[in-house]
Amino acid sequence: MDKTCCGPGYASPAAAIKAPREKLLYTIAIYTGTGIQKPDYLATIDVDPDSPTYSQVIHRLEMPGIGDELHHMGWNACSSCHDDAGMSRKYLLVPGVRSNNIHIVDTATDPRAPRLHKVIEGAEIKSKADLSGPHTVHCLGSEIIISFLGDAKGEAPGGYLHLNKDFEIMGRWEASMGDIPFSYDFWYQPRHNVMVSSEWAAPNTFMPGFDLEEVGHLKYGRRLHIWDFEAKKPVETMYLGEDGLIPLEVKFLHDPDSSHGFCGAALSANVIHFWKSEAGKWEWEKVIDVENEPHPEWPIPVPGVMSAVLVSMDDKYLYLNNWLHGDMRQYDITDPHNPKLTGQVWMGGLLGRAPEINGVKVAGGPQMYQLSLDGKRLYVTTSLFSTWDNQFYPEIRTQGGVMVMIDCDVENGGMTINPDFIVDFGQEPNGPSRCHESRYPGGDCTSDIWL
């Protein structure tokens, strides 16, 4: 047995980069919002270029009910329990943001054909923890915490569900939500005893669709929150104002000694960089600003809508998307205070720069993405959230989503769309579905945390 790995995950980010190339990828596929009365499902995609079924969906695990709106997912174990030989990265937790059900999927027994292990019912979560709208799943050593966007009635601020390793509800994780108005994403960095959380909106606000006026009425977030991780309570708020409208995904650098992290503010289409100064104070600055673009059919210039950010495992590159513009970008963040644009590709979007990729018409724009551990392959999907999709890209209902692969130059920077890879979810057996977040069986750049 490899002595560098006694539990799940990898001894270090450097070890993760040297892991074998991914051969399978799991992605969420949804029928919620399409009018097709079929369950959402977990799609297994063959990403082994030597395989006869390369770039194809090879298995579909349907959920037990209809209308879950599967969204984000996470592992039961990651590199934070690397030293625990009793743990394994066997289960993928797949929450439904509308149903509030958390589906525990066994991916280890047969990685090509995952099976349902257990369902934590949304009604049980509401009654035991007063939570709804599950979002981000992080493993916490042998336990699991999941951010929720609302209370049982769908109102902010939500909170955090705490599960043990047997997926039993232990109650709420946090000791206090303080005066936090909204929840969304979070990432923790144990060596600094810190967690940073971001803000979207209450489920009752965002689920029906997006209304710009509600941003002005302060129904959407514009803050980052610094938590005392051990005490499980917020201790400081970074008010981002107009520079940080709807701050969504939060990512620390993978180096567990680093205090540097980034957040993408969706509506202002800015990247916020945060870090702990030498004096021990948390600071923030805007380091990337994507200009709004004019559009003949829009009364105002179109914002990028930067809904996600991702940091490569070697902490060299930051990737961001502009869902409405239609571009993916790569920035060199060797100096985190001064990111440098090193790559850009277009797929879909409202600006019409790349309506078709590898022979498939793209409905939607680049939305969720997962990077290979070695940083060379970026898998990008096109659906954001069903009601928002239908609002901004109505054609996605009939065309379905797509998954594109981008080849990334890790030495010099640069991005190119791979001409041999495309997964067209418009051609699924039960009709067009939409694809969202992706994960690899062995762990990935958006889940592993080192203690």
Side-chain angles (χ1 to χ4, degrees):
M1 183 180 173
D2 181 0
K3 287 180 183 171
T4 61
C5 187
C6 54
Y10 306 95
S12 65
I17 293 166
K18 295 188 179 110
R21 176 178 173 148
E22 71 285 351
K23 294 189 174 179
L24 295 174
L25 182 150
Y26 304 121
T27 192
I28 276 162
I30 70 163
Y31 281 120
T32 304
T34 64
I36 295 172
Q37 293 300 303
K38 293 282 185 181
D40 299 345
Y41 56 101
L42 185 69
T44 305
I45 297 169
D46 185 340
V47 293
D48 178 0
D50 297 326
S51 166
T53 52
Y54 177 61
S55 184
Q56 294 176 31
V57 178
I58 57 171
H59 184 264
R60 298 165 184 86
L61 174 67
E62 288 193 343
M63 297 301 113
I66 290 174
D68 281 302
E69 183 123 2
L70 306 181
H71 194 59
H72 282 228
M73 49 186 170
W75 293 103
N76 70 306
C78 76
S79 294
S80 66
C81 36
H82 169 71
D83 288 334
D84 186 348
M87 292 296 295
S88 66
R89 197 183 325 236
K90 179 176 181 180
Y91 298 105
L92 192 56
L93 283 78
V94 187
V97 74
R98 288 185 188 271
S99 67
N100 307 303
N101 297 331
I102 299 174
H103 309 89
I104 315 297
V105 175
D106 172 0
T107 64
T109 304
D110 183 353
R112 295 174 70 86
R115 60 189 70 175
L116 193 60
H117 170 70
K118 177 181 176 177
V119 178
I120 306 171
E121 298 288 343
E124 184 188 1
I125 294 167
K126 285 183 177 183
S127 68
K128 290 185 176 175
D130 187 29
L131 290 170
S132 73
H135 194 270
T136 301
V137 179
H138 271 304
C139 122
L140 184 67
S142 62
E143 296 171 353
I144 297 150
I145 44 177
I146 306 171
S147 64
F148 278 70
L149 307 185
D151 62 15
K153 294 177 180 167
E155 295 298 337
Y160 296 82
L161 184 69
H162 191 185
L163 302 176
N164 67 17
K165 66 180 183 352
D166 298 317
F167 312 113
E168 296 163 336
I169 294 174
M170 298 174 72
R172 296 277 279 262
W173 171 81
E174 77 280 5
S176 165
M177 288 295 285
D179 57 1
I180 288 179
F182 305 108
S183 299
Y184 183 66
D185 195 22
F186 70 100
W187 192 281
Y188 66 94
Q189 200 73 315
R191 292 186 190 179
H192 293 277
N193 184 34
V194 68
M195 178 173 104
V196 174
S197 68
S198 62
E199 300 185 341
W200 190 9
N204 291 345
T205 299
F206 70 78
M207 281 195 182
F210 180 65
D211 181 349
L212 186 60
E213 284 191 2
E214 292 188 319
V215 178
H217 296 155
L218 306 182
K219 289 193 169 184
Y220 281 88
R222 48 186 75 190
R223 298 168 186 81
L224 291 177
H225 302 282
I226 309 292
W227 293 65
D228 180 318
F229 189 58
E230 289 177 4
K232 304 180 182 179
K233 57 187 180 187
V235 291
E236 194 178 330
T237 291
M238 295 176 173
Y239 180 72
L240 309 175
E242 298 296 310
D243 281 334
L245 297 176
I246 317 186
L248 294 182
E249 290 211 342
V250 175
K251 300 284 183 285
F252 272 104
L253 296 187
H254 296 283
D255 173 3
D257 286 328
S258 175
S259 72
H260 291 270
F262 296 90
C263 174
L267 188 59
S268 13
N270 293 330
V271 174
I272 305 298
H273 166 228
F274 55 87
W275 72 100
K276 188 165 68 175
S277 70
E278 288 183 10
K281 181 172 166 38
W282 287 94
E283 311 271 3
W284 71 272
E285 64 187 348
K286 177 177 73 174
V287 289
I288 298 168
D289 186 347
V290 176
E291 294 292 330
N292 294 356
E293 294 269 1
H295 191 285
E297 294 167 27
W298 274 54
I300 58 167
V302 178
V305 180
M306 187 190 297
S307 48
V309 294
L310 183 154
V311 176
S312 63
M313 193 58 81
D314 62 0
D315 293 336
K316 183 177 179 182
Y317 295 109
L318 173 87
Y319 292 89
L320 64 83
N321 71 307
N322 290 298
W323 184 59
L324 291 186
H325 289 178
D327 62 318
M328 285 291 311
R329 299 187 184 191
Q330 176 198 59
Y331 287 82
D332 185 324
I333 52 167
T334 307
D335 176 359
H337 299 281
N338 295 288
K340 292 186 168 48
L341 180 64
T342 48
Q344 183 178 31
V345 296
W346 294 87
M347 51 176 282
L350 293 176
L351 305 183
R353 305 257 172 97
E356 201 172 280
I357 298 292
N358 296 346
V360 174
K361 200 170 176 193
V362 179
Q367 212 292 310
M368 288 306 296
Y369 36 98
Q370 190 56 261
L371 186 66
S372 60
L373 291 171
D374 64 6
K376 294 177 181 177
R377 292 164 301 284
L378 189 69
Y379 299 90
V380 187
T381 57
T382 52
S383 164
L384 190 152
F385 186 73
S386 62
T387 42
W388 294 37
D389 290 347
N390 293 346
Q391 189 175 346
F392 293 102
Y393 294 108
E395 67 279 9
I396 202 169
R397 284 177 72 113
T398 52
Q399 283 178 231
V402 300
M403 177 183 282
V404 170
M405 186 171 91
I406 296 169
D407 293 320
C408 303
D409 184 337
V410 297
E411 300 299 326
N412 311 301
M415 311 167 78
T416 52
I417 289 175
N418 187 298
D420 302 319
F421 186 97
I422 188 93
V423 186
D424 182 0
F425 282 84
Q427 304 298 319
E428 285 292 90
N430 287 324
S433 68
R434 307 172 197 182
C435 38
H436 192 64
E437 198 189 40
S438 302
R439 298 278 183 201
Y440 309 119
D444 45 67
C445 289
T446 59
S447 59
D448 274 288
I449 290 171
W450 280 266
L451 298 179

